[in-house]
Amino acid sequence: MPTPASPTAEQLPARTAAVWAALDPLVGAGTSLRVLDVGGGSGIFAVPLAQLGHDVTVVDPSADALATLRRRADNAGVGNLVRGVQGDGDLLHEVLPPADGAGTGYDLALCHFVLEVVDDPAVTLREIAGALRPDGQVSIATANRAGAVLARALSGHPVEALSLLADRDPAPGRARPDRRRFAPSDLLELVEGAGLRPDTWRGVAVVADLLDAASGADPAAVRALELALAETSPYRDVATGLHVLAARR
């Protein structure tokens, strides 16, 4: 995978390097895009995209997160390119105008670590697909079940690791159920069921989350390693997250 050319890429965390590298051919091409960020309330992706000249609408249920988004966008000097809308991902049609066959709709949508917590991931992805223009693309990142199993095992919790391996809540009975994790096949099935055409899936944070912050590892070297491993099995299979780009059919 090529190193991202976007001017902000080198300043962003190594753990998201694979996502930015996948997005770079779209967002670094010099053409202004209409971008929809579902559940990205605090602006971690929205503000860097606005700094690249894109017009970004963020839909998030949290008023506090949207307030953070506004401050971050204003402080970065891109407040005019970022719009926050309070709403739920599975009810986008209530807060956004629908796309139509005349080419309206968003060029790119982001759905990063949202499917784990929504009521119905399939409904949310269908809503996002409906907001895209024809051939518009969506960037989807989710928690990887295999990565979660490995992380629990390495942290000394083998019983919880076994529960996650069987796709069970590692702490049943808690007031707030644990978030979902996905296998690559689960994610691709959801994507195709939403009327989207998926590209190659990649691992997110293959090694970045395993490194101790005090290890002294060179961030640039970690970023380069992440890019090298992101689309290579068996390494991508045990990453913290999964990522795929998909196009509206």
Side-chain angles (χ1 to χ4, degrees), residues 92-248:
L92 291 179
H93 66 277
E94 294 187 356
V95 295
L96 297 176
D100 60 33
T104 63
Y106 291 92
D107 302 298
L108 173 67
L110 309 183
C111 179
H112 292 167
F113 300 102
V114 169
L115 300 182
E116 295 89 337
V117 296
V118 296
D119 290 337
D120 189 330
V123 171
T124 296
L125 275 185
R126 287 197 297 269
E127 288 280 312
I128 293 172
L132 293 171
R133 65 166 173 77
D135 294 321
Q137 297 199 61
V138 55
S139 169
I140 306 163
T142 68
N144 180 19
R145 186 182 306 142
V149 170
L150 180 62
R152 294 295 175 95
L154 290 176
S155 62
H157 300 286
V159 175
E160 292 186 6
L162 282 170
S163 294
L164 288 173
L165 181 63
D167 197 20
R168 299 194 305 268
D169 191 329
R174 74 177 89 194
R176 181 179 180 181
D178 199 28
R179 64 179 183 164
R180 299 180 189 89
R181 274 87 172 180
F182 297 87
S185 58
D186 299 331
L187 178 58
L188 295 177
E189 182 179 353
L190 276 171
V191 169
E192 292 172 349
L196 298 163
R197 184 176 60 254
D199 201 347
T200 302
W201 70 271
R202 57 193 58 80
V204 178
V206 178
V207 296
D209 287 349
L210 299 176
L211 295 174
D212 191 306
S215 68
D218 177 10
V222 176
R223 185 179 294 107
L225 182 58
E226 285 290 344
L227 293 175
L229 300 179
E231 293 185 6
T232 304
S233 291
Y235 311 105
R236 66 175 182 169
D237 302 85
V238 293
T240 297
L242 308 171
H243 177 260
V244 66
L245 280 175
R248 180 178 175 182

